[in-house]
Amino acid sequence: MRRAFVWLGLAMLGLSAPPAASAAADLEKVRVSIIPIGDVAPLFAAVQQGYFREVGLEIDTTPSAGGAAGIPGLVGGSFDIAYGNVVSALLAAQQGLDVKVIAAGTNVTDPKLDATGIFAKSDSGIKSGKDLEGKSIAVNTRNNVIWLYARAWVKTTGGDPERVTFKEVPFPQMEDALRQQRVDAAFMVPPFSIVAAQKGGLGKVGMPYSDVQPGVDVGLYVTTGKLLTTKPETVKKFVAALRKGVEWYNANLTNEALLTLISGYTKADVALLRLAPVPTAPSRTDMAQVRKTMELMIESKLIPAPLDLDKIVDPLAR
């Protein structure tokens, strides 16, 4: 499964000329678990713009189905850093795993730019959580942020989440699962939600993030407390370069170069990506939003009681 998603790899690694190759050999490799969705565009922007090389780092990425899948690899030593989400990070901490949040990833501050959503077939008659009782919703992984907010949306719109079946389907396969009626609805994220919406036959029936918790912090980057202690400078360099990637990303939201970058690692067509607005990316974690998500996790019985967030979210991330 392991492969570098850095599609501009040869140029980045300097394999075209001996001097650059020598320089590449001096770079410290950082293994990062990612989810191949629009959320990680700032990371790939930082790679493309050379921000990681500037601080002496080489980024080696490996795709996973979701944060819940990447964190075990992180704790097991397969990765140095993992892109995940607030729910996965807090759940891992509750389970006693050595995880530390080091950088923000994504948030949803403007409903007009929220391209995520619950999608269903246009002729399904599904318009609310009540309509989904006795039916199924595709989520990338169970007991994760997508699963949590899908359940919360069902409840918010009049349904009983206990009467809904949540099926694990990787993001790239959700559209096919929905069109082939293997699921009745799917909680999809960009770019897959954008691609699916433009093809017709499917409609967005709700926006769980915006409908349930406006301004929610969703994605983030985590490492282990051990690595943070043994290689603090490496982590600081990673965060600094990533934030430069966030700056470039936010400055190029309407730039064709950004859409080309996203298309490169997601394989989504640029022409389709052009049809939807691209949301800004945060540079800092919003602790108030993390607390709200924690409260929702307690309500859904993912964790039994509040956690000490100051021990989980490193000052680097704030």
Side-chain angles (χ1 to χ4, degrees), residues 59-315:
I59 303 301
D60 178 19
T61 60
T62 298
S64 70
I71 286 180
L74 172 73
V75 175
S78 297
F79 311 118
D80 302 305
I81 292 169
Y83 178 81
N85 58 75
V86 173
V87 174
S88 293
L90 297 187
L91 191 58
Q94 166 63 32
Q95 295 169 346
L97 300 181
D98 181 28
V99 297
K100 300 289 184 183
V101 177
I102 56 169
T106 52
N107 60 9
V108 182
T109 58
D110 186 350
K112 294 179 181 178
L113 299 179
D114 186 357
T116 69
I118 299 283
F119 285 78
K121 295 193 72 174
S122 300
D123 59 0
S124 67
I126 295 172
K127 297 180 180 179
S128 68
K130 183 66 177 177
D131 297 328
L132 279 163
E133 290 183 351
K135 295 181 172 63
S136 60
I137 300 178
V139 295
N140 63 324
T141 54
R142 290 179 60 82
N143 299 334
N144 204 342
V145 66
I146 293 291
W147 174 88
L148 178 68
Y149 282 88
R151 283 177 57 89
W153 180 83
V154 168
K155 184 176 180 180
T156 298
T157 56
D160 180 358
E162 297 302 325
R163 298 185 61 188
V164 177
T165 300
F166 296 89
K167 294 185 177 181
E168 290 190 341
V169 180
F171 286 125
Q173 298 171 22
M174 283 188 182
E175 181 187 348
D176 286 342
L178 191 51
R179 292 187 186 280
Q180 294 167 11
Q181 298 184 312
R182 289 185 278 121
V183 294
D184 298 294
F187 189 173
M188 304 177 71
V189 302
F192 309 106
S193 57
I194 299 169
V195 173
Q198 297 302 323
K199 290 182 181 178
L202 303 179
K204 183 187 288 190
V205 299
M207 299 186 294
Y209 292 143
S210 297
D211 294 343
V212 173
Q213 187 179 325
V216 60
D217 262 31
V218 181
L220 42 69
Y221 291 85
V222 295
T223 189
T224 61
K226 179 180 179 181
L227 191 139
L228 192 56
T229 299
T230 58
K231 295 185 176 182
E233 291 306 313
T234 299
V235 177
K236 288 179 182 178
K237 289 176 181 179
F238 175 87
V239 173
L242 176 63
R243 283 195 176 134
K244 289 187 69 174
V246 170
E247 291 176 3
W248 184 92
Y249 169 92
N250 286 337
N252 288 276
L253 296 178
T254 59
N255 192 323
E256 192 80 359
L258 175 58
L259 299 183
T260 301
L261 178 111
I262 295 173
S263 173
Y265 67 86
T266 63
K267 309 309 176 187
D269 190 89
V270 171
L272 288 173
L273 292 177
R274 237 183 251 126
L275 299 176
V278 181
T280 58
S283 59
R284 307 281 175 176
T285 298
D286 186 332
M287 294 296 287
Q289 288 292 342
V290 174
R291 289 190 184 90
K292 289 181 181 179
T293 299
M294 180 174 66
E295 292 167 2
L296 193 59
M297 291 175 69
I298 294 172
E299 181 182 329
S300 294
K301 299 180 180 179
L302 272 182
I303 57 176
L307 302 170
D308 186 347
L309 296 180
D310 288 333
K311 292 182 178 179
I312 302 169
V313 183
D314 190 82

